Amino acid sequence: MTPENLMLLPLSTPKLSIGCPILDDCLGGGIPCNFITELVGESGSGKTQLCLQLTVRAQLPPSHGRLGGSSVYIFTEFSFSFRRLQQLGNLYHASYPNLIRLEPLEDIYVRGVHDAQELIHVLGDIEAFIAIDHTRLPVKLIVIDSIAALFRSQYQTTTADLKRRSEMFFNISGTLKGLANKFGLAVVVTNQVVDFIGPHDGVNGVRLGNLESLDTSGRRVSPALGLAWAHCINSRVFLARHEQSIGVNIRNAPSTTICSQTHRTFHLVFAPHLAYASAEFVIRKEGLVGVSR
């Protein structure tokens, strides 16, 4: 990609709207096609919720700021949340009865994988699946939830294994970017976080993106998989959560009741065409929704 093309990116690249103007503004309009966008955060931060939300919204036509396409959802840990996806599908069908099918899950293709090598094989199958073009809607979104789980125990910390792991990173990301460019897809991957102890000038002295450090639940963290993987993605979004204790006066209660309130923040850590942006958000039955400050 030339610098001239990069400057045209915000105007020329289709985007998948999250469905919330506040969060879409952080991304310059939504999740861009032809690139890999990473969602990183601790467990319970909203990564999977956002991915499920995107798979349903992708089915809306371009006239509604979406892609008019189906999705491939690859999950790598736990069981897939079919119940939550069905709930989202029902909600969006009720809101857009003429645009989203009564059974929106029929346009979402779900596959589980257990290791990195299997993912490479599945991505090859996906390319053939898209090329055959026998789906009702063209595939326009690929989700991998989560990439870190594939490397949790498969590789050791020896020099040889770290080299093989990095080679696998570039193999996976190269295949994903190839699919994104060939078919005009949006690619979203989720990543986990690990506790980080070190200086406040980035990771190993290298600052990646707009934030000097990532903080969530009172912990300083860094994205899993390190610098090698960071160079494989195009954009990184950090979903942070913080618990705050507040006092609530309940009528006829002898003392103030202490309750916990969760604050969530959406941070654009880096993207090739955007400056830093952030927004607070909540998770509702229809998915992630930004909160005006």
Side-chain angles (χ1 to χ4, degrees), residues 75-105:
F75 68 96
T76 64
E77 55 183 348
F78 310 120
S79 57
F80 183 76
S81 183
F82 281 105
R83 177 178 294 182
R84 175 57 175 150
L85 183 58
Q86 183 70 66
Q87 181 186 37
L88 286 168
N90 292 340
L91 286 169
Y92 280 105
H93 173 72
S95 299
Y96 305 95
N98 297 322
L99 300 176
I100 290 185
R101 301 176 69 179
L102 181 60
E103 292 295 335
L105 272 65

Side-chain angles (χ1 to χ4, degrees), residues 27-175:
L27 297 171
I31 305 292
C33 293
N34 307 328
F35 286 89
I36 300 175
T37 301
E38 180 196 75
L39 308 177
V40 61
E42 65 174 306
S43 177
S45 62
K47 304 186 300 295
T48 297
Q49 291 286 338
L50 180 51
C51 288
L52 295 174
Q53 182 176 338
L54 291 172
T55 62
V56 179
R57 298 198 68 86
Q59 298 175 34
L60 290 167
S63 60
H64 284 66
R66 319 306 185 254
L67 301 178
S70 58
S71 305
V72 175
Y73 198 113
I74 299 172
F75 68 96
T76 64
E77 55 183 348
F78 310 120
S79 57
F80 183 76
S81 183
F82 281 105
R83 177 178 294 182
R84 175 57 175 150
L85 183 58
Q86 183 70 66
Q87 181 186 37
L88 286 168
N90 292 340
L91 286 169
Y92 280 105
H93 173 72
S95 299
Y96 305 95
N98 297 322
L99 300 176
I100 290 185
R101 301 176 69 179
L102 181 60
E103 292 295 335
L105 272 65
E106 293 181 3
D107 291 311
I108 301 170
Y109 305 94
V110 179
R111 172 68 185 266
V113 301
H114 301 93
D115 58 57
Q117 196 60 53
E118 184 182 5
L119 176 60
I120 291 293
H121 178 75
V122 168
L123 291 177
D125 291 343
I126 289 173
E127 180 171 12
F129 177 72
I130 297 174
I132 292 172
D133 194 27
H134 60 220
T135 58
R136 188 185 74 90
L137 296 174
V139 174
K140 286 295 180 182
L141 172 66
I142 294 177
V143 174
I144 300 177
D145 184 18
S146 75
I147 192 70
L150 299 175
F151 296 91
R152 183 177 295 139
S153 58
Q154 186 176 355
Y155 296 88
Q156 304 301 316
T157 57
T158 64
T159 301
D161 260 16
L162 290 175
K163 180 181 179 182
R164 282 194 292 269
R165 190 180 77 154
S166 295
E167 290 172 348
M168 184 60 74
F169 289 166
F170 287 108
N171 192 356
I172 291 171
S173 65
T175 302

